[in-house]
Amino acid sequence: MRRRDFVHLTGLGAAAAMLPSIPVWGNSVPLDAALDRIDPVLKKRMSDVALNAARSRGATYTDVRIGRYLNQFVVTREDKVENIVNTESYGMGIRVIANGSWGFAATDKMDNDSIAKAAELAVAIAKENSRLLTEPVQLAPQKGYGEVSWKAPIEKNAFEVPMKEKVDLLLSVNDAALKGGANYANSVLFLVNEQKYFASTDGSYIDQDIHRIWPTFFLTKIDAKSGKFETRNSLSAPMGMGYEYLEARPQDKIQGVTTLYKGRYDMLEDAKAAATQVGQKITAKSVEAGKYDLVLDPSHLWLTIHESTGHPTELDRVLGYEANFAGTSFLTLDKWQSKNFKYGSDLVNIVGDKTQPGSLGAVGYDDEGVGTKKWDIIKDGVLVNYQAIRDQAHIVGLNESQGCCYADNWSSVQFQRMPNVSLLPGKKQKSIDDLIKNVEKGIYIIGDGSFSIDQQRYNFQFGGQLYYEIKEGKITGMLKDVAYQANTQEFWNACSDMCDERDYRLGGSFFDGKGQPMQSSAVSHGCATTRFNGVNVINTARKI
Amino acid sequence: MSILSKEQAQALLKKVLSYSKADECEVNLSGSDAGNIRYARNSVSTSGGVSSNSLVVSSAFGKKMGVATINEYDDESLRKVVQRAEELAMLAPENPEFVSFMGPQTYPESATFVQATADMSPKDRADAVAASLQISKENKLTAAGFLENNTSYSAMMNSKGLFAYNTSTGVSFNVTLRTEDGKGSGYATKSYNDFKKLDVKAASASAAIKAARSATARAIEPGKYTVILEPAAALVLLENLFFGMDGRQADEGRSFMSKPGGLTKLGEKLVDERVNIYSDPFNTELPTSTWSGDGRAQEKVNWIENGVMKNLFYSRYWAQKKGVKAIPTPEAVIMAGTNQSLEDLIKSTEKGILVTRLWYIRSVDPQTVLLTGLTRDGTFYIENGEIKFPVKNFRFNESPIIMLNNLEALGKPERTVSGESGINALIPPMKIRDFTFSSLSDAV
C-alpha cells in the first residue's frame, strides 16, 4: 500500500484528486477470508519450482517470496461510513543472481509453468544486465534455517473483530468530535496482515504472519467569522499489534496537558480532547520567531528521529544507491571509520531493532532470510554503525547481514529498509514536568505535523499538532504557526535532557517511501520525552 | 502478456455482468506489463519485470454497495467475485452519498498508446542505461538513475450499458550525476508515451553539465530572491495548487479556495493575469485517457484563465448536491507560456537564482498553501543576465498563490514529470520575484 493509494482510498487528502481513479488496491476478499491461510506445504512446492527453474538456467543464487497481503479499511466521515474495503494481493517474486548480477521477476499466475517462466525471465534480466556491472554481487554468508515459522505476538486478530464493532467505534469518535465543537470529523481504521513465505537456495523455508493496525482521525474546525480553519489529528501510533491496541487501560495513559498513550490507545478520549483543542488552536497566540528550548513528546519526536537518524544511517544511501531519488547521506563512511564523529550529545544512544514486540518493524526473519536482531547505531553520541543487508555487509566489515531487507509486495524487489530506529530513554528518573520546570523560554510540542528534510539529511523543518508555550518552567498557553528548523548534527548535540523508560513510547509510519519504483515500508521509532536547547523556530502564518 | 484487446475485454465484461443479481453492477478491468532497470555507482543495481491484472466488481442494492476484486478469469472465479461483491453490499451500511452508475457514454479515441513503447525489451532498457553510463564515465561522474516502461489497458462496463476501453504506454527516465568528490550534482527527468521521444543521452548530458557547474557552491544569505524555476521545479510547487481545487473542500470551508460563510473564490482573480492553466486529454504532447475511472468523459477544462479561478473538480455526489457540472479530476495539467527559452529568462535577469530541482515538498498550512522544501542538484546565482556561480542549497517557505502573484515572466512550456507525485504536466520555466528562502542547507 503506497501512501498515495492510502490517501486516495480514504479521501483524506486533496492530493487524492489527481490520482488514477480506478480503485485497484488488490483483490477484495470476504470478511472472514483472512482466517484461511495457504498451506506451507503448497508454498514450499511452488517455491521449489522457481528455485529449480532458476538454477537450471544458470542462477547461482535464488530466493522466492510468496506473499499474501491483506488490508482492511473502514473509512468514515461525520455520521457516514464512506467505504469498507477488503483487499488481497497474492503472488510470487523471484530474485536471482546470474553472471554476478541481480535479476528479478514477479507473477500473480501461480501455476508451475508461469512460475518457471518468471524464474527464467529473472535469470534473463540478470544476464542482460551483467554487461553493465562494475563488480559482481557479494552476498554475506547466511545459513539456511530449514522449515521455520514466526508469528507476530498479537492478542486479538483485528480482521476477526466484527465489522459492526469497528464501524460503531469510528462513528462514536466522529460523534464525540462534532459534539465537542469540530465542524468535520474523518476517522479511519487501517488493518494489515502480511502472510509471507520465503525460500532460498541457502536452504531456508520461512513462513511468517505479520499484523499491523492504525486507527486515526482528522478533525477540522472553522471560525465562521474569519473563515480561518485549524486541524487536529489523532495522537495514535500505527503499531505491530492486533485489536488490543484499541483497548487502553489506565496504566497505558500518561496525564498532562492532554492524555498521552503508551502501547495502547483510547481513541474516543483523544477525539474528545482534540475537539476542544482544535477550537483552542484558532484563538491561540501566533508564535514569535526566535530561539526556543523544545520539549518534544514521543508522538512528535519519532518523526524527527525517522528523518534525521533513521534515513542518514541507511547504508544504501551512504553508498549512493539512492542518489537519484531518496538521496545520499551526510554520515559518510569516513565519519564512521573515525570512531569519534559526534552525531549527538553524550545522552544520545540510538539503536536499530527488528525484534521489538509491538513495533511495526518486528519480524522473525527479513525478506532475504536473515534472522533479526538489535544493535547500536549511535553510542554515547558517536556514530558506531549503519543498517545493512547481505550484499552490503562486507562494505562495513560485517560478517553477516543486520536483517534490514524488505519488499512491500510480492511484485516488488526487496532492498535495504530502515529497521525500527529508536532513541534509548534516560537513565535518571525524570518526568515530563521535570523537563519543563527547567525551561525558561520554550515550546512543548505534541503530535506530528509538517515534515521536510534535505537529501543528505542536514537541514530539516518540522511542525506538530499541539504547541504549548513554556515560560520560566511553566506552561502558559497554546501557540500556533510554529515550525522549527535545524541542522541534524547541531540539533542532536543540543539534546540536553530526557525522561526515563516510564515515558518511553513508540510512534511510527506505514508509509516510509524509498526506492524506484517507490516502495512503502512500515517502521516504528521509540523514545521518551526529550529536551533540545536553543532551536530556531519560525512563524508560518501567511496572507494570500 | 496481460493486455486484452477491446473485443476480449468487452466479452469478458459481458460475462461478468451476466452473473450479477444486484440492482446495479459496474466492472472495471485493467492490466499492465511493466519493466524497469535501476542503476547507481555507475553500475546496474536492480531491475525487473512485472505483469499484473485486476478485475473490480462494484455491486449495489439500493444505496448499499460492495466491492470485490479478483485476478483469475475462469468462469468459477468470475461467478465468485460477483457473489462476493453482492455479499459485501448486503453487509455494508446504506451510504446516503451513493450515486447510481452512469448510463451509456461515447468517448473519442485517446492517443495514449504507442507501439514502440509496447515493444520495449530488457535489452532496450539495458542499452539506454549503457548510453547514460557512458556519458557519466566520460565526464568522470557517478551516475544513479532509473528507467521504467509500461503497457497497460483499462476497460469498464456497467449494467446501465456504459462501456469504455483504453490502452496506454509510458516510459520514464531520470538520472542524477554527481562529481567524484561529491561536491556537484545534476539531475534530469523525462516522461513520454512514446519511447522514440526519449533521448537518454541528451538528458544525461544535461545532468552532466549541471553536475560539473554546481561543484564548489558558495553560500549566500537566505532571504527573498528573484528565482527562475525550471519546469520540473515549478511543477512540484504548482501541483499543490491543483490538488487543492476540490469543489467539496472549497464549499466546506477547508481549502485555499474557501471564503467565510460557505462561499468560494470561484470566479475571482487570485493570481497574475498571465496565468492560464487547463487540462486537455487531446493535447498531442501530453495525451491522456478520454474517460475517468467512474465513466465520466474527460474534456478540455480551463482551471485558471487570465488569473481567474474558473473551475473546480467534483465528485458526482457533490456536483449533484450543488447543482453544478461534475467535472472529474484531470490526469495531467497544462500551463500556457510564451516562446521565451530558459536562456532568454536568464538573460533578462539582473540578479537572481536559477533553481533546477526542488525536493521534499510538504504542506505547512493548507489555508494559504504554504509549502516548505529545498533546492537540489544544481542551484545557480545569476547576475547581469548570466549564470555566475553555483550556490549552496536553500530551504524555502513559499505559497504557489503568492508565487503566481509575483510572476515576472513565463517561458516555453515543456513536458515534465513531478518528482514528488509522479503526475505529468506541460509547464513553462518561470521567473518569480521575492521568493522566500528561509535557511541554508549543506546538502549536495
Side-chain angles (χ1 to χ4, degrees):
Chain A
M1 177 63 52
R2 269 71 164 172
R3 178 172 175 266
R4 69 176 200 173
D5 290 341
F6 170 75
V7 167
H8 181 199
L9 176 78
T10 55
L12 294 172
M18 301 292 281
L19 298 172
S21 44
I22 298 171
V24 182
W25 295 284
N27 304 329
S28 182
V29 291
L31 301 183
D32 57 355
L35 307 181
D36 305 327
R37 291 181 53 81
I38 295 158
D39 188 349
V41 174
L42 175 63
K43 289 193 270 194
K44 181 171 188 296
R45 204 181 297 147
M46 291 191 288
S47 301
D48 285 334
V49 170
L51 295 178
N52 291 333
R55 191 183 286 126
S56 73
R57 291 285 170 144
T60 53
Y61 168 85
T62 304
D63 60 37
V64 176
R65 290 174 302 106
I66 298 173
R68 186 165 181 248
Y69 297 82
L70 301 169
N71 293 325
Q72 184 176 87
F73 308 86
V74 186
V75 185
T76 74
R77 61 171 293 165
E78 291 88 56
D79 58 352
K80 287 178 280 293
V81 177
E82 289 199 299
N83 221 345
I84 299 176
V85 184
N86 271 36
T87 72
E88 176 185 358
S89 177
Y90 178 51
M92 176 190 279
I94 302 162
R95 184 177 67 151
V96 303
I97 298 175
N99 291 358
S101 177
W102 284 120
F104 177 78
T107 180
D108 56 4
K109 296 188 177 67
M110 303 295 267
D111 58 279
N112 288 354
D113 262 6
S114 300
I115 291 171
K117 270 186 194 149
E120 288 161 14
L121 176 61
V123 175
I125 288 172
K127 287 181 176 173
E128 184 65 52
N129 293 347
S130 65
R131 66 184 161 106
L132 304 175
L133 210 58
T134 49
E135 51 184 318
V137 175
Q138 191 177 330
L139 281 188
Q142 179 58 48
K143 65 169 186 178
Y145 292 100
E147 290 182 48
V148 292
S149 66
W150 184 88
K151 282 184 176 197
I154 60 166
E155 292 174 25
K156 199 173 185 178
N157 185 342
F159 284 84
E160 294 176 28
V161 173
M163 183 53 68
K164 185 171 187 314
E165 194 175 319
K166 300 171 196 171
V167 165
D168 287 350
L169 170 67
L170 297 186
L171 291 179
S172 69
V173 161
N174 296 354
D175 184 57
L178 296 174
K179 281 186 178 142
N183 294 93
Y184 298 101
N186 299 69
S187 60
V188 182
L189 182 61
F190 187 175
L191 309 178
V192 175
N193 177 210
E194 289 185 358
Q195 299 171 9
K196 300 203 290 197
Y197 191 81
F198 174 89
S200 76
T201 44
D202 291 328
S204 286
Y205 294 90
I206 301 167
D207 196 31
Q208 300 197 87
D209 188 28
I210 297 135
H211 285 262
R212 304 190 189 110
I213 185 169
W214 185 27
T216 189
F217 63 75
F218 309 82
L219 307 187
T220 308
K221 170 94 176 171
I222 300 162
D223 181 48
K225 200 171 154 198
S226 67
K228 294 272 181 202
F229 64 88
E230 288 287 346
T231 60
R232 157 64 153 94
N233 299 351
S234 160
L235 299 180
S236 64
M239 298 291 285
M241 293 177 72
Y243 205 72
E244 68 275 5
Y245 178 59
L246 282 159
E247 294 167 349
R249 306 153 300 188
Q251 66 265 35
D252 304 314
K253 298 180 182 181
I254 296 167
Q255 302 301 335
V257 286
T258 190
T259 305
L260 303 164
Y261 302 96
K262 182 175 178 165
R264 293 188 178 206
Y265 177 56
D266 188 334
M267 195 175 192
L268 189 58
E269 178 188 53
D270 190 30
K272 286 176 183 166
T276 306
Q277 290 156 356
V278 75
Q280 292 167 343
K281 282 176 87 166
I282 285 181
T283 54
K285 187 170 97 177
S286 192
V287 72
E288 192 181 319
K291 299 260 185 203
Y292 290 83
D293 289 354
L294 301 181
V295 176
L296 303 180
D297 185 73
S299 62
H300 171 88
L301 184 55
W302 74 268
L303 185 50
T304 309
I305 295 169
H306 175 86
E307 298 290 3
S308 69
T309 315
H311 281 305
T313 55
E314 290 172 315
L315 189 53
D316 61 346
R317 298 179 66 115
V318 173
L319 298 173
Y321 286 103
E322 283 292 329
N324 186 46
F325 181 59
T328 57
S329 172
F330 78 99
L331 292 174
T332 45
L333 291 177
D334 56 309
K335 288 174 179 149
W336 164 69
Q337 282 156 344
S338 78
K339 296 186 169 60
N340 63 11
F341 179 74
K342 202 70 175 146
Y343 173 86
S345 73
D346 291 348
L347 288 173
V348 178
N349 287 285
I350 294 175
V351 293
D353 188 352
K354 290 286 291 178
T355 65
Q356 190 173 7
S359 70
L360 295 169
V363 283
Y365 308 85
D366 77 352
D367 281 352
E368 54 182 1
V370 177
T372 51
K373 62 187 75 169
K374 177 179 175 179
W375 67 99
D376 291 325
I377 293 177
I378 308 291
K379 182 82 180 154
D380 301 326
V382 174
L383 172 68
V384 296
N385 215 329
Y386 294 103
Q387 317 154 31
I389 59 174
R390 287 185 71 186
D391 64 5
Q392 303 167 328
H394 64 282
I395 295 166
V396 281
L398 295 171
N399 296 321
E400 58 178 15
S401 162
Q402 288 162 324
C404 294
C405 204
Y406 178 78
D408 68 356
N409 194 274
W410 55 265
S411 64
S412 309
V413 66
Q414 61 269 56
F415 69 127
Q416 192 260 301
R417 299 311 301 258
M418 198 189 297
N420 303 308
V421 171
S422 296
L423 173 66
L424 297 181
K427 291 177 183 123
K428 290 180 190 158
Q429 280 221 347
K430 282 195 180 171
S431 67
I432 298 170
D433 286 343
D434 291 334
L435 259 59
I436 290 172
K437 76 180 179 197
N438 293 320
V439 174
E440 267 184 45
K441 178 194 175 195
I443 303 173
Y444 177 35
I445 302 180
I446 297 170
D448 56 71
S450 181
F451 56 102
S452 173
I453 189 164
D454 69 50
Q455 76 276 11
Q456 289 188 314
R457 308 280 146 172
Y458 285 106
N459 172 308
F460 58 68
Q461 177 174 317
F462 290 97
Q465 290 299 317
L466 298 168
Y467 313 99
Y468 293 97
E469 185 168 32
I470 306 169
K471 278 184 183 167
E472 288 162 8
K474 288 199 172 57
I475 288 174
T476 56
M478 199 183 266
L479 293 172
K480 67 177 174 187
D481 309 324
V482 176
Y484 62 90
Q485 288 185 349
N487 166 287
T488 295
Q489 195 184 0
E490 288 172 12
F491 176 82
W492 284 102
N493 276 282
C495 176
S496 59
D497 208 354
M498 58 181 69
C499 294
D500 60 77
E501 62 185 351
R502 293 169 304 165
D503 189 53
Y504 180 88
R505 287 167 272 151
L506 289 177
S509 171
F510 272 12
F511 303 117
D512 176 26
K514 196 168 85 171
Q516 290 181 296
M518 213 275 283
Q519 294 186 40
S520 285
S521 167
V523 61
S524 293
H525 302 282
C527 58
T529 306
T530 303
R531 177 179 155 182
F532 298 84
N533 287 359
V535 182
N536 187 37
V537 168
I538 63 165
N539 182 301
T540 63
R542 296 287 189 280
K543 271 188 183 161
I544 58 169
Chain B
M1 287 288 282
S2 296
I3 310 302
L4 297 188
S5 70
K6 186 174 186 176
E7 291 70 31
Q8 288 170 325
Q10 199 161 21
L12 182 65
L13 289 165
K14 273 185 184 163
K15 190 192 279 185
V16 177
L17 282 177
S18 75
Y19 300 140
S20 170
K21 297 185 184 69
D23 295 343
E24 294 183 48
C25 184
E26 188 163 276
V27 190
N28 287 78
L29 184 62
S30 63
S32 74
D33 287 320
N36 65 69
I37 182 166
R38 193 175 193 211
Y39 55 110
R41 293 160 63 98
N42 279 348
S43 181
V44 66
S45 51
T46 58
S47 66
V50 180
S51 286
S52 61
N53 53 71
S54 180
L55 187 145
V56 185
V57 177
S58 306
S59 295
F61 294 95
K63 286 181 176 290
K64 294 153 68 83
M65 192 173 88
V67 181
T69 83
I70 204 159
N71 56 359
E72 294 164 288
Y73 296 164
D74 57 279
D75 290 0
E76 191 194 342
S77 300
L78 296 176
R79 274 199 187 89
K80 192 169 66 184
V81 70
V82 173
Q83 192 186 335
R84 278 182 186 174
E86 291 175 359
E87 283 169 6
L88 284 170
M90 300 305 279
L91 271 175
E94 194 161 278
N95 182 1
E97 298 191 358
F98 173 78
V99 179
S100 187
F101 298 137
M102 294 177 67
Q105 307 286 316
T106 51
Y107 313 101
E109 286 285 318
S110 73
T112 47
F113 181 88
V114 179
Q115 191 62 45
T117 313
D119 291 340
M120 279 178 73
S121 67
K123 183 177 181 305
D124 290 328
R125 291 192 291 269
D127 286 346
V129 168
S132 178
L133 287 174
Q134 193 187 339
I135 287 169
S136 176
K137 287 171 188 168
E138 281 169 7
N139 290 283
K140 292 191 170 55
L141 300 168
T142 305
F146 182 63
L147 176 73
E148 183 178 37
N149 64 287
N150 74 79
T151 303
S152 62
Y153 80 100
S154 51
M156 68 179 291
M157 187 182 278
N158 69 29
S159 55
K160 294 191 152 182
L162 182 146
F163 173 68
Y165 177 84
N166 189 46
T167 53
S168 179
T169 54
V171 57
S172 62
F173 170 73
N174 42 74
V175 61
T176 302
L177 292 172
R178 294 173 66 79
T179 56
E180 283 174 349
D181 62 5
K183 289 180 178 169
S185 185
Y187 177 73
T189 182
K190 298 288 171 189
S191 170
Y192 301 101
N193 295 74
D194 186 353
F195 176 46
K196 283 182 290 192
K197 288 187 178 171
L198 175 62
D199 188 341
V200 165
K201 274 190 183 170
S204 302
S206 87
I209 290 167
K210 284 174 182 166
R213 292 187 83 166
S214 66
T216 60
R218 296 187 211 168
I220 61 172
E221 279 297 308
K224 287 190 185 291
Y225 286 91
T226 293
V227 294
I228 294 172
L229 302 174
E230 287 196 7
L235 174 58
V236 294
L237 299 175
L238 294 181
E239 68 184 1
N240 289 279
L241 193 62
F242 314 146
F243 296 154
M245 293 180 68
D246 175 75
R248 185 171 190 171
Q249 294 271 341
D251 288 328
E252 288 181 342
R254 40 180 172 167
S255 93
F256 76 94
M257 283 297 296
S258 307
K259 288 206 300 190
L263 303 173
T264 75
K265 296 173 184 167
L266 208 55
E268 292 185 14
K269 184 174 167 295
L270 276 198
V271 292
D272 188 281
E273 62 199 7
R274 286 168 291 173
V275 175
N276 287 284
I277 294 173
Y278 61 101
S279 56
D280 182 3
F282 306 104
N283 185 288
T284 51
E285 286 297 306
L286 182 55
T288 54
S289 177
T290 52
W291 51 278
S292 69
D294 61 0
R296 282 185 274 176
Q298 289 281 14
E299 296 163 346
K300 185 174 177 182
V301 177
N302 284 328
W303 302 99
I304 303 177
E305 196 175 343
N306 301 328
V308 177
M309 309 308 287
K310 295 298 276 190
N311 279 296
L312 300 173
F313 49 79
Y314 291 85
S315 66
R316 290 181 59 224
Y317 165 74
W318 197 252
Q320 199 174 63
K321 188 178 162 77
K322 290 287 168 183
V324 298
K325 186 174 178 186
I327 301 173
T329 53
E331 263 182 50
V333 287
I334 299 165
M335 181 170 181
T338 67
N339 276 325
Q340 286 198 91
S341 67
L342 178 69
E343 289 67 34
D344 292 336
L345 297 188
I346 293 169
K347 268 183 208 158
S348 65
T349 304
E350 198 181 324
K351 278 181 185 172
I353 291 170
L354 172 64
V355 175
T356 63
R357 186 184 184 189
L358 293 172
W359 157 253
Y360 219 128
I361 317 299
R362 287 293 182 277
S363 166
V364 177
D365 183 354
Q367 186 133 31
T368 58
V369 209
L370 184 70
L371 305 171
T372 191
L374 298 114
T375 62
R376 175 175 173 178
D377 299 324
T379 310
F380 302 94
Y381 189 74
I382 301 165
E383 203 170 55
N384 299 326
E386 281 177 19
I387 292 176
K388 290 290 183 191
F389 51 84
V391 292
K392 286 180 84 164
N393 285 309
F394 290 107
R395 171 171 296 287
F396 67 87
N397 276 268
E398 190 55 274
S399 162
I401 303 275
I402 295 171
M403 181 180 121
L404 291 180
N405 272 291
N406 290 343
L407 183 67
E408 291 272 297
L410 291 169
K412 190 176 182 191
E414 62 180 74
R415 181 162 168 170
T416 189
V417 55
S418 166
E420 298 281 319
S421 73
I423 68 161
N424 284 285
L426 283 173
I427 298 279
M430 56 191 73
K431 195 197 295 189
I432 308 288
R433 65 178 176 275
D434 291 335
F435 190 89
T436 312
F437 290 120
S438 48
S439 55
L440 277 172
S441 161
D442 290 326
V444 176

